Amino acid sequence: MAKQALTQEQKQTQRLALEQQRMLGLVLEKNDAEMAEFIDNKVNEIQALEKKSDDDNEYGNDDSNGKDRQDANHEESDTTPSGEVNSDGDDDTAAWYRYFANNRSRDDEYYAPIAVSEKTLQEYLADQLGEMELDETQQIIAHAIVGNLEDDGYLRRSVSEIADDVTFNDGYVVDAPQVEQVLNLIQTLDPPGIAARDLKECILLQLRRKDPSEDTELAITMVDRHFDDFAAMRFDTLARKMGVDSERLEHVFKHQIRRGLNPHPGSSFGSRADTSQQVTPDFDVELEEETGRLTVTLRNNIPALQISESYVLMNDRYKSAAPLSVKENKEKKQIQDAYQRASMFIEVLKQRQETLFNTMSAIVKCQRDYFLHGDERDLKPLGQQQIADMIGKDVSVVSRAVSNKYVQLPWGVKSLKSFFSEDINGSSRHEVYDDLKKLVDSEDKKRPLSDDALCEKLKAMGYKLERRTVAKYRDALKIPSSTIRRKMAR
């Protein structure tokens, strides 16, 4: 009997640990504005959980259970801890970090959103997903896919990578085909073309939702089977390959594609890093000019939570070994379950704050020159794995921690994702983007530079890039191909 009880206890502990891990992944993705509603829902859902009132002292009401409240709440002190982080070996220019713990005091400053905006793309898709009949696993996968969409509406992470995220972070063992199946469902949502993995798929998704017609079928064939010729607008070549008059193809292109499709389906919702949206920055980075000292502050709009006094008393009452009736045993199980869930959620909030703070601190250490001067050319190549190694977490944790998070700088608000870029011969993607844009801006508009020519010029500047990489960067900057730029100059 004792062995059976021990096994049950181990299973319950494992279940709670898995639930805590899943919950941490969920709250890491949310910013403070989203957390407010999420916490309200949890307070209503978990009976033992309540918001700490101003009348409570640091550890709850001044009663004999004060110590239990402290242990259950996992609270920090009201003083703001700080620590010195030396990023370059120079003590005079060390960075100082300030952390607002996940409890509140009466004189804490509450931060309001800095702007107002429409619903985000992610919220718009979430509303539509809520109307679909998805099982629990499909809902988790859909949430992961939507959370990985770029601001322009594209999905640039592979289904295998998303399957790994869901398996390791959410505790649901899934494979790439399962993710692909949910992705196909999401691609049926509005706006048309959403969650495409490249321009070709984006255009085809939109064309296939049009009313069937000969012109629509021609457009689909042109894009699906002859995409390279279509992208270069080689209508004579297309006409020969498809056996259709070139003027007819130009007409189809003009009316079925150029006027009827959106190559950036997420753009109408604006960028999540755009300050014109309703965003409350999660961090402040301030520079003390005289000393060159950087201060990083994790803002805190999250209310302090505690386990309600009645549940503390009832839980203590059932800690004794006195024999219990069937009714009392049932009540004991319900009380202990609510108590554990409340305690776990409070601990998750603490872990969220610590992870966010450590992530931002590591970013500032790596990108110190940018935070001193505000010049994007000072941004160094930086991968999320590097930050993960610095804070001792998995890279998927960093990915969630920087998702939909913003920092307030003296020169504006910036997305945490914007501090990451791959290493290109010792330079960052931001530097390559800047030089690529300058080359296009200074070109002869009547004889624009081809991707091959741009590639050669960038190589001469020290960037060892392939032509397809240059084309990808040009697309990211929303710079049309040389053929289209030449036609636009006429």
Side-chain angles (χ1 to χ4, degrees):
M1 196 70 176
K3 184 177 180 181
Q4 182 180 0
L6 181 61
T7 302
Q8 289 177 342
E9 185 176 340
Q10 287 176 337
K11 287 183 177 179
Q12 184 178 17
T13 301
Q14 291 173 352
R15 180 182 62 82
L16 288 173
L18 185 61
E19 174 65 16
Q20 182 169 330
Q21 184 181 22
R22 188 192 70 81
M23 183 67 69
L24 178 60
L26 184 62
V27 298
L28 272 176
E29 288 184 335
K30 298 180 181 296
N31 57 27
D32 274 1
E34 295 167 330
M35 283 296 296
E37 181 180 0
F38 185 74
I39 288 175
D40 284 341
N41 291 337
K42 282 297 176 183
V43 170
N44 292 330
E45 175 189 332
I46 304 174
Q47 294 180 345
L49 193 64
E50 68 180 14
K51 293 181 180 180
K52 185 178 178 183
S53 68
D54 289 340
D55 293 333
D56 292 335
N57 64 20
E58 182 179 348
Y59 303 133
N61 293 332
D62 188 14
D63 54 26
S64 60
N65 296 295
K67 185 178 185 301
D68 289 333
R69 282 174 174 260
Q70 180 186 9
D71 294 339
N73 290 337
H74 309 280
E75 289 186 323
E76 308 284 343
S77 68
D78 283 335
T79 58
T80 304
S82 62
E84 182 175 318
V85 181
N86 191 348
S87 60
D88 58 4
D90 184 356
D91 290 338
D92 293 332
T93 56
W96 286 76
Y97 299 92
R98 186 167 64 246
Y99 168 45
F100 288 171
N102 69 331
N103 57 328
R104 302 304 305 258
S105 62
R106 295 176 184 175
D107 58 352
D108 274 349
E109 180 180 359
Y110 283 79
Y111 297 93
I114 61 174
V116 178
S117 73
E118 300 289 334
K119 185 176 290 186
T120 67
L121 172 63
Q122 284 67 28
E123 290 169 341
Y124 184 64
L125 293 173
D127 289 345
Q128 297 176 71
L129 286 169
E131 298 175 0
M132 302 179 73
E133 295 183 358
L134 303 177
D135 60 35
E136 185 176 355
T137 301
Q138 289 176 320
Q139 290 175 11
I140 296 295
I141 294 173
H143 176 79
I145 292 173
V146 170
N148 276 284
L149 292 181
E150 301 285 355
D151 291 327
D152 58 2
Y154 283 81
L155 179 67
R156 294 189 170 89
R157 294 198 74 199
S158 70
V159 292
S160 297
E161 290 173 326
I162 293 175
D164 289 342
D165 281 353
V166 173
T167 298
F168 293 113
N169 297 318
D170 298 309
Y172 291 77
V173 180
V174 301
D175 54 24
Q178 287 176 280
V179 177
E180 185 79 33
Q181 183 182 27
V182 177
L183 175 60
N184 291 336
L185 293 175
I186 292 175
Q187 288 177 339
T188 66
L189 304 178
D190 290 326
I194 198 66
R197 285 159 284 192
D198 53 41
L199 180 60
K200 178 180 177 180
E201 186 176 39
C202 181
I203 293 175
L204 288 173
L205 285 171
Q206 296 179 65
L207 285 173
R208 287 168 178 156
R209 290 174 69 169
K210 283 175 168 278
D211 293 333
S213 69
E214 289 185 7
D215 282 359
T216 303
E217 288 303 316
L218 271 178
I220 291 174
T221 301
M222 184 164 49
V223 174
D224 192 26
R225 300 183 183 177
H226 311 286
F227 184 76
D228 289 342
D229 292 324
F230 156 79
M233 299 176 68
R234 294 191 285 261
F235 293 114
D236 290 338
T237 303
L238 286 167
R240 186 175 65 255
K241 290 181 176 180
M242 297 174 63
V244 180
D245 184 82
S246 62
E247 290 184 4
R248 172 82 187 281
L249 291 180
E250 287 193 52
H251 173 83
V252 169
F253 172 79
K254 181 177 181 181
H255 294 277
Q256 292 291 321
I257 298 176
R258 174 175 282 179
R259 291 185 178 177
L261 305 182
N262 183 0
H264 305 286
S267 60
S268 60
F269 292 85
S271 168
R272 282 179 287 182
D274 188 347
T275 58
S276 65
Q277 290 197 4
Q278 183 176 357
V279 295
T280 303
D282 304 88
F283 303 91
D284 287 293
V285 175
E286 299 167 308
L287 171 65
E288 188 178 309
E289 297 286 350
E290 295 79 8
T291 63
R293 177 179 295 168
L294 291 167
T295 302
V296 177
T297 303
L298 171 61
R299 294 184 178 186
N300 183 34
N301 278 338
I302 296 178
L305 300 178
Q306 64 186 17
I307 297 176
S308 68
E309 182 180 359
S310 59
Y311 271 82
V312 171
L313 294 173
M314 287 188 292
N315 187 65
D316 286 346
R317 188 180 71 187
Y318 283 118
K319 284 181 179 179
S320 64
L324 300 175
S325 65
V326 173
K327 182 179 179 180
E328 287 174 328
N329 269 316
K330 183 178 180 180
E331 183 184 58
K332 174 185 177 181
K333 185 179 183 304
Q334 292 174 339
I335 291 170
Q336 289 181 337
D337 181 64
Y339 190 96
Q340 287 177 337
R341 291 179 66 199
S343 179
M344 180 197 72
F345 186 67
I346 292 170
E347 174 62 22
V348 164
L349 291 186
K350 176 188 174 184
Q351 292 177 5
R352 173 189 184 271
Q353 299 297 81
E354 291 175 346
T355 302
L356 290 180
F357 174 69
N358 291 338
T359 299
M360 188 71 236
S361 301
I363 290 173
V364 172
K365 289 178 70 176
C366 293
Q367 302 290 14
R368 186 173 184 279
D369 288 342
Y370 169 77
F371 287 101
L372 288 175
H373 308 114
D375 186 346
E376 288 203 348
R377 294 183 66 88
D378 286 331
L379 287 170
K380 298 177 175 63
L382 180 63
Q384 293 184 0
Q385 183 63 59
Q386 185 176 343
I387 298 298
D389 293 340
M390 291 175 68
I391 68 174
K393 299 288 185 181
D394 187 83
V395 66
S396 61
V397 172
V398 174
S399 177
R400 290 169 183 257
V402 302
S403 176
N404 203 18
K405 305 296 190 309
Y406 308 91
V407 56
Q408 177 72 62
L409 303 170
W411 44 86
V413 175
K414 198 168 179 68
S415 165
L416 263 61
K417 280 189 174 181
S418 65
F419 296 115
F420 297 92
S421 68
E422 66 269 28
D423 188 336
I424 304 170
N425 312 128
S427 302
S428 72
R429 186 179 66 246
H430 303 279
E431 293 177 85
V432 181
Y433 278 5
D434 189 54
D435 286 330
L436 176 58
K437 190 174 185 303
K438 287 178 180 178
L439 287 173
V440 173
D441 289 343
S442 61
E443 71 183 359
D444 182 350
K445 302 305 177 186
K446 294 181 180 180
R447 301 180 64 184
L449 297 168
S450 66
D451 288 340
D452 284 324
L454 289 170
C455 185
E456 290 303 316
K457 286 185 176 292
L458 287 170
K459 283 182 179 179
M461 298 169 71
Y463 302 118
K464 296 180 181 179
L465 300 171
E466 299 294 330
R467 177 191 174 281
R468 63 178 179 272
T469 304
V470 174
K472 183 180 78 170
Y473 289 173
R474 176 177 54 73
D475 287 338
L477 290 169
K478 300 183 180 179
I479 298 173
S481 67
S482 59
T483 303
I484 297 176
R485 299 204 304 277
R486 185 183 298 111
K487 292 185 177 185
M488 291 170 62
R490 291 176 182 172

